[in-house]
């Protein structure tokens, strides 16, 4: 399985698809300081008006700010709105 991941990355690098995410890899987009879009998430792990944690394939994405709220959530996509101060990736140790 590890070799397969390396092979896919090798093909993507060779095809110069640097701007395109690999299949299954989470995508986090920050729109200004008021909206965060997360695709391919694994659910919400923490929720408050100041901090929202979202599980992704290799850890947790933590969004910190004020008046945060989950404005849309589907199986594939999650949108968080409010005043965004920080977006942080906390990797799982292997």
């Amino acid at each position: 399985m590890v070799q397969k991941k390396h092979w896919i990355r090798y093909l993507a690098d060779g095809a110069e698809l640097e701007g395109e995410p690999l299949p299954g890899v989470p995508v986090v987009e920050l729109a200004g300081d008021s909206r965060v879009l997360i695709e391919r998430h694994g659910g919400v792990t923490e929720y408050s008006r100041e901090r929202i944690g979202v599980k992704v394939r290799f850890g947790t994405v933590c969004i910190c700010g004020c008046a945060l709220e989950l404005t849309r959530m589907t199986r594939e996509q999650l949108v968080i709105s409010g005043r965004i101060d920080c977006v942080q990736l906390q990797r799982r140790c292997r």
Side-chain angles (χ1 to χ4, degrees):
M1 186 64 156
V2 173
Q3 287 181 341
K4 182 178 178 182
K5 288 180 185 177
H6 291 298
W7 180 249
I8 290 173
R9 169 105 29 219
Y10 173 78
L11 287 175
D13 290 344
E16 296 180 11
L17 297 174
E18 196 166 310
E20 295 295 318
L22 295 174
V25 175
V27 176
V28 179
E29 291 183 8
L30 178 63
D33 65 350
S34 62
R35 194 180 86 132
V36 175
L37 166 70
I38 302 174
E39 294 180 343
R40 300 181 197 110
H41 66 89
V44 176
T45 60
E46 180 180 357
Y47 189 91
S48 73
R49 301 284 286 165
E50 293 80 32
R51 184 177 169 100
I52 297 177
V54 179
K55 182 178 177 185
V56 294
R57 184 173 167 181
F58 38 73
T60 302
V61 174
C62 294
I63 296 93
C64 299
C66 294
L68 298 178
E69 62 182 355
L70 195 57
T71 53
R72 182 176 57 203
M73 182 174 170
T74 65
R75 287 185 202 191
E76 283 291 311
Q77 213 175 61
L78 186 139
V79 177
I80 297 167
S81 299
R83 192 188 83 204
I84 311 296
D85 293 331
C86 175
V87 178
Q88 181 181 35
L89 172 63
Q90 296 175 337
R91 286 189 169 272
R92 278 192 306 247
C93 295
R94 292 182 186 198

